[in-house]
């Protein structure tokens, strides 16, 4: 089903669908089993323009709008959610942060290779004791002449091992709470950057997630993103875009679960007929399809607001909350429809069910989205 999509948006969606189903889907199950990072596929996605979709061509990107990006991301997630999270972090948080807040030097030096997909990026905000509450982070950046010296540990960093460039937040002034946090662009080969062991995860097994430890890591002052103290707002504003990306991922995974279920119900016979004939199954299919469409419309609406230059924090959180909870309901129903087969790894719904689980957690839990949404609703004076 469509929204008000342009020919160009539909063309990008079709291209992403063809690539995802031909190249990513056939090996997704194998990647899930081995945990092999999809580096060759990521390179191909860079060549197709998927790694810096919303960045203008002069900085190595595709110059596409957010709507096209979410359509493409949903297609990639449909085929392989592990690959989709790498694409999402690269586009939504890493490239956007540098494009929106970086200097011309940052764009030439860091954004160009990121947007063209020749280098992967990571975003290091979360810490062992600072997840939902990033203001309580304890990584420090102490000015020393023309450098900042970074010390601290970042946790659950998507592409932590594979990334060549990392955006790192750190405290530059302990007394100032969120205004004491700054953001830095750090090359991974800088002395003092230590990559932790890859996490052994329940889902998204082919994306790498590690600690990143900074030990007296000297970062040039010119690599600071924005002014001193801008780091929290840079992170929050770029996470808004990230949350639309997680909503798109959720829609893609849910659609894959629905399509697998529909196919299965038309093949599986019980009590002398296809199980697609049973009302109990049909109602599940109807609810799944309706919820996916609702999430898709919320996602496209948030993306459209972003493309129009309007505020979209509220809509991004609503899309992320609804879509990420929806995909958990949908993949659970898909597994139920498959019965015992859904519980074994030969069937894709088993992987989709595990992959979806983190969507209500990363880039802001459902509880954080509810805080953001309720704050907006309660502050909106036009409602009274
Ligand atoms: N855009 C721009 N500015 C924003 C903003 C936004 N979306 N949200 C907040 N701000 C600004 C506020 O306007 C405020 O500015 P002023 O001082 O000028 O008034 C400032 O930031 C502080 O805002 P709050 O008082 O609302 O901040 P808070 O400490 O209460 O936190 C929160 C708000 C919503 C709970 C926030 O901390 C949050 O989103 N937490 C979740 C963190 C998160 O999503 N982590 C995900 C990790 S990244 C990840 O998962 C990536 C990956 O690898 C997959």
């Amino acid at each position: 089903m469509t929204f008000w999509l342009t020919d160009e948006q539909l063309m990008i969606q079709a291209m992403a669908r063809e690539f995802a189903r031909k190249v990513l889907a056939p090996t997704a199950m194998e990647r899930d089993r081995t945990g092999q990072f999809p580096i060759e596929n990521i390179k191909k996605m860079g060549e197709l323009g998927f790694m810096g979709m919303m960045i203008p061509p002069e900085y190595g990107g595709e110059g596409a709008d957010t709507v096209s990006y979410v359509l493409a991301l949903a297609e990639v997630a449909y085929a392989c959610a592990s690959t989709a999270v790498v694409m999402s972090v690269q586009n939504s948080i890493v490239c956007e942060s540098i494009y929106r807040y970086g200097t011309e030097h940052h764009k030439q030096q860091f954004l160009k290779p990121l947007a063209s997909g020749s280098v992967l990026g990571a975003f290091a905000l979360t810490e062992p004791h600072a997840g939902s509450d990033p203001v309580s982070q304890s990584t420090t950046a102490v000015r020393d002449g023309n450098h900042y010296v970074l010390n601290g540990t970042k946790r659950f960093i998507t592409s932590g091992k594979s990334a060549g460039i990392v955006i790192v937040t750190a405290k530059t002034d302990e007394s100032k709470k969120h205004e004491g946090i700054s953001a830095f662009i750090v090359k991974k080969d800088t002395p003092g950057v230590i990559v932790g062991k890859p996490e052994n995860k329940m889902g998204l097994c082919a994306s790498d997630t590690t600690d990143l430890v900074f030990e007296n890591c000297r970062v040039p002052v010119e690599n600071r993103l924005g002014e001193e103290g801008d780091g929290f707002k840079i992170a929050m504003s770029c996470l808004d875009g990230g949350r639309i990306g997680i909503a798109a991922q959720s829609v893609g995974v849910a659609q894959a679960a629905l399509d697998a279920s529909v196919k299965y119900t038309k093949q599986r016979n019980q009590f002398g007929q296809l199980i697609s004939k049973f009302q109990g199954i049909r109602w599940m299919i109807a609810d799944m399809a309706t919820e996916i469409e609702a999430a898709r419309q919320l996602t496209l609406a948030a993306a459209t607001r972003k493309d129009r230059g309007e505020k979209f924090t509220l809509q991004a959180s609503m899309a992320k909350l609804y879509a990420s909870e929806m995909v958990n309901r949908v993949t659970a129903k898909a597994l139920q429809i498959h019965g015992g087969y859904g519980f074994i790894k030969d069937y894709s719904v088993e992987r989709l069910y595990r992959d979806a689980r983190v969507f209500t957690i990363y880039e802001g839990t459902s509880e954080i989205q509810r805080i953001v949404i309720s704050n907006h609703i309660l502050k909106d004076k036009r409602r009274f």
Side-chain angles (χ1 to χ4, degrees), residues 186-361:
V186 181
K187 288 164 78 177
K188 260 271 292 303
D189 58 5
T190 310
V193 182
I194 299 151
V195 179
K197 72 166 175 53
E199 299 293 352
N200 187 5
K201 296 171 296 183
M202 169 184 178
L204 302 185
C205 297
S207 82
D208 81 66
T209 307
T210 69
D211 276 4
L212 285 177
V213 182
F214 298 86
E215 274 183 14
N216 295 322
C217 172
R218 294 179 72 81
V219 178
V221 170
E222 72 217 34
N223 284 18
R224 192 187 61 222
L225 201 51
E227 297 300 318
E228 236 184 51
D230 284 352
F232 183 73
K233 285 190 190 171
I234 291 174
M236 287 302 115
S237 63
C238 292
L239 273 171
D240 286 344
R243 289 167 183 169
I244 302 178
I246 305 307
Q249 262 186 286
S250 304
V251 169
V253 171
Q255 189 67 51
L258 174 61
D259 290 356
S261 301
V262 169
K263 190 171 167 204
Y264 184 77
T265 62
K266 290 179 177 177
Q267 291 168 349
R268 174 77 171 166
N269 258 293
Q270 290 292 278
F271 301 103
Q273 61 178 353
L274 290 171
I275 64 169
S276 61
K277 305 268 185 213
F278 291 108
Q279 192 178 50
I281 300 286
R282 297 177 82 97
W283 285 16
M284 277 200 257
I285 298 281
D287 288 345
M288 291 157 82
T290 305
E291 288 201 55
I292 294 169
E293 191 54 25
R296 181 179 290 122
Q297 300 300 343
L298 276 175
T299 308
L300 288 168
T304 301
R305 282 186 75 95
K306 178 169 177 281
D307 285 336
R308 288 184 184 158
E310 295 167 8
K311 288 191 174 154
F312 64 95
T313 301
L314 170 65
Q315 288 74 16
S317 281
M318 284 179 164
K320 202 268 183 187
L321 171 64
Y322 184 79
S324 64
E325 301 219 328
M326 172 283 293
V327 69
N328 277 278
R329 289 190 293 273
V330 164
T331 51
K333 283 196 177 113
L335 203 149
Q336 189 70 20
I337 288 171
H338 281 72
Y341 293 110
F343 195 61
I344 61 172
K345 289 182 185 284
D346 294 348
Y347 285 75
S348 64
V349 292
E350 186 272 344
R351 169 172 52 88
L352 300 174
Y353 179 82
R354 286 184 288 105
D355 283 346
R357 188 61 193 87
V358 75
F359 296 173
T360 62
I361 298 170

Side-chain angles (χ1 to χ4, degrees), residues 67-78:
V67 167
S68 302
Y69 164 62
V70 300
L71 292 170
L73 184 56
E75 292 300 333
V76 171
Y78 183 101

Side-chain angles (χ1 to χ4, degrees), residues 4-15 65 68 71:
W4 51 82
L5 300 177
T6 65
D7 287 348
E8 192 184 343
Q9 290 161 348
L10 289 168
M11 194 192 71
I12 291 173
Q13 182 186 38
M15 187 175 84
D65 58 10
S68 302
L71 292 170

Side-chain angles (χ1 to χ4, degrees), residues 85 89 93 123 125-126 131-135 156-158 178-179 232-233 236-237 239-240 243 313 362-364 368 371-372 375:
V85 69
V89 168
I93 330 188
F123 178 76
L125 173 74
T126 301
S132 290
D133 177 19
V135 174
F156 302 140
I157 307 306
T158 301
H178 70 268
E179 286 173 346
F232 183 73
K233 285 190 190 171
M236 287 302 115
S237 63
L239 273 171
D240 286 344
R243 289 167 183 169
T313 301
Y362 66 16
E363 300 208 17
I368 289 296
I371 290 174
V372 174
N375 281 346

